Amino acid sequence: MKLINLFGATFAVALLGAGCFPGPALQSPKVSEPIGAALPARPINQVKGFGDIPAAPLASLRPGNRGSVIVRAELPSVPEVVTVLRQKGGQPDETVLRNIAGSIWMPGGTIGTHPVTREIRLDWRDENGVQWIYKGRERRTEFTDTSKPRKALTVSSWPTTERVIQSAVSFLNQRGISQSRYGTPFIEPDWALWLNAEKAAGHCVDKEALQTIRVMATMTDLRQSDLPKLPEIGKVSCLNAELPARITVRINATQDGQAIYSDDGTPYPAAILVVDAVSLEVVSGSFIAGADPDRSDYPALSFEEVRRRLAQGGQGGTPQGDVTIDDAAFEWYRIESREDPPTSYLFPALVGSGAITYPDKQVGSYRIIVPLVK
């Protein structure tokens, strides 16, 4: 049976052989009993059901660094066995691949006997002028609304946070995009929050700062920590402030209500939606489509080993400053295998959250990740 043509989409199929953290902290359950109690659904119950899985990479201890970690949080107990999740990619299997090939008149002999799809990419434009790109391995869709070009680089003020986030969430709802594995939406960088804080500190926008804001308004992946420091009032000629005309709403991914992190404590993004500050329309962005993972149990590290690794800085290695950990909870650590195509796994991890004081006395938030799989 051949697949129907998907809205005139074009297929690009690749065949085998051919730290600091942004946004609000996600709330997670405090797990003091075996992690399995928090994860009741288990399609695969056997121990080591996935066979050999990738080991978490060794952290860089940076022996010359004088950073330290003080753990004040009460750590939960670690069970002897933890549940590992195997995420499903969006690449088609052999049957679907052959159907796709047939629907676009590819010669059957080019597919081979046992093809393995490394990636699939769909690229199309809808009737409203929105350009869409789907990348199967991550199940991530990117889009740009070409009918809404940028009319202004900056604006004099922003709408409220509530209105901006409502626009972003409405965009997802109107297109039937499930948010069951999404966290709480937030704006980053939040230029309005930054400007209010700078004003409260007695700072203002001068000619140089205004030029910097206009340049940064063209950048697409800024974080809150990237925003400039303004000069003090009275030392410069103050001008009317301007803010970028595009607002970035971010949503981090979750699984079973718990956050997903990488080595350095950065949350795994579920959606990034760019909203026009004037029209409140979503003009570009990306989002992932979730799928139920497979689950299997694997031996866990001892409590003593987990605590030792936490005190050493976890996956991020020796911190570049003095860290105090005030809170600890079980979350997820995302890792990929070295296979071609790679397989993504979620390891249960102890996540310690707190603050870091750098050598220059600057203070920031900090997160340490310790995967629990032995």
Side-chain angles (χ1 to χ4, degrees), residues 143-156:
F143 65 93
T144 301
D145 192 339
T146 59
S147 70
K148 297 180 175 64
R150 186 193 295 266
K151 295 181 179 179
L153 191 60
T154 59
V155 292
S156 59

Side-chain angles (χ1 to χ4, degrees), residues 193-217:
L193 181 68
W194 161 83
L195 183 59
N196 289 336
E198 288 292 311
K199 287 181 177 179
H203 301 161
C204 73
V205 174
D206 64 350
K207 183 178 180 181
E208 183 178 348
L210 189 59
Q211 290 301 319
T212 300
I213 293 171
R214 290 171 178 173
V215 170
M216 297 181 78

Side-chain angles (χ1 to χ4, degrees), residues 5-289:
N5 189 14
L6 297 175
F7 306 107
T10 58
F11 296 88
V13 184
L15 305 179
L16 188 64
C20 294
F21 55 91
L26 290 166
Q27 298 299 316
S28 67
K30 301 291 184 182
V31 183
S32 58
E33 299 176 357
I35 290 179
L39 309 173
R42 297 188 175 194
I44 297 178
N45 268 328
Q46 67 267 38
V47 174
K48 294 188 175 182
F50 307 139
D52 292 334
I53 56 178
L58 295 176
S60 174
L61 296 181
R62 305 189 189 98
N65 196 308
R66 295 186 179 181
S68 65
V69 177
I70 298 176
V71 180
R72 294 177 177 171
E74 181 179 352
L75 303 183
S77 61
V78 178
E80 294 182 358
V81 173
V82 293
T83 301
V84 172
L85 276 57
R86 182 176 63 189
Q87 296 184 299
K88 299 174 183 177
Q91 306 100 309
D93 60 18
E94 179 178 343
T95 300
V96 175
L97 176 62
R98 292 188 184 280
N99 285 334
I100 292 174
S103 70
I104 57 177
W105 302 286
M106 283 182 63
T110 63
I111 300 300
T113 306
H114 299 294
V116 177
T117 309
R118 298 175 60 197
E119 177 63 294
I120 184 168
R121 172 186 167 112
L122 311 181
D123 191 334
W124 73 99
R125 183 180 64 249
D126 67 20
E127 70 279 5
N128 298 316
V130 181
Q131 299 275 2
W132 301 86
I133 298 175
Y134 171 77
K135 299 176 180 179
R137 203 176 87 186
E138 265 194 294
R139 294 181 176 270
R140 187 172 296 277
T141 301
E142 301 170 357
F143 65 93
T144 301
D145 192 339
T146 59
S147 70
K148 297 180 175 64
R150 186 193 295 266
K151 295 181 179 179
L153 191 60
T154 59
V155 292
S156 59
S157 63
W158 271 10
T160 64
T161 297
E162 291 74 16
R163 293 182 64 198
V164 173
I165 289 179
Q166 183 181 21
S167 295
V169 172
S170 294
F171 175 90
L172 298 173
N173 291 336
Q174 290 166 5
R175 287 155 184 81
I177 300 166
S178 173
Q179 298 155 62
S180 61
R181 291 181 174 86
Y182 285 15
T184 302
F186 61 98
I187 295 174
E188 191 185 18
D190 192 330
W191 284 88
L193 181 68
W194 161 83
L195 183 59
N196 289 336
E198 288 292 311
K199 287 181 177 179
H203 301 161
C204 73
V205 174
D206 64 350
K207 183 178 180 181
E208 183 178 348
L210 189 59
Q211 290 301 319
T212 300
I213 293 171
R214 290 171 178 173
V215 170
M216 297 181 78
T218 66
M219 300 178 181
T220 57
D221 196 27
L222 292 174
R223 297 292 183 169
Q224 200 71 23
S225 59
D226 297 324
L227 303 191
K229 184 79 171 177
L230 295 180
E232 293 182 19
I233 295 175
K235 294 185 178 181
V236 295
S237 298
C238 296
L239 304 174
N240 291 330
E242 296 179 8
L243 301 174
R246 296 288 167 88
I247 306 172
T248 301
V249 176
R250 301 177 186 272
I251 309 176
N252 294 326
T254 66
Q255 176 64 51
D256 301 328
Q258 295 165 290
I260 302 171
Y261 297 108
S262 59
D263 284 329
D264 63 357
T266 302
Y268 184 63
I272 299 174
L273 303 168
V274 179
V275 179
D276 185 271
V278 177
S279 67
L280 284 175
E281 294 179 302
V282 175
V283 295
S284 63
S286 66
F287 56 87
I288 58 172

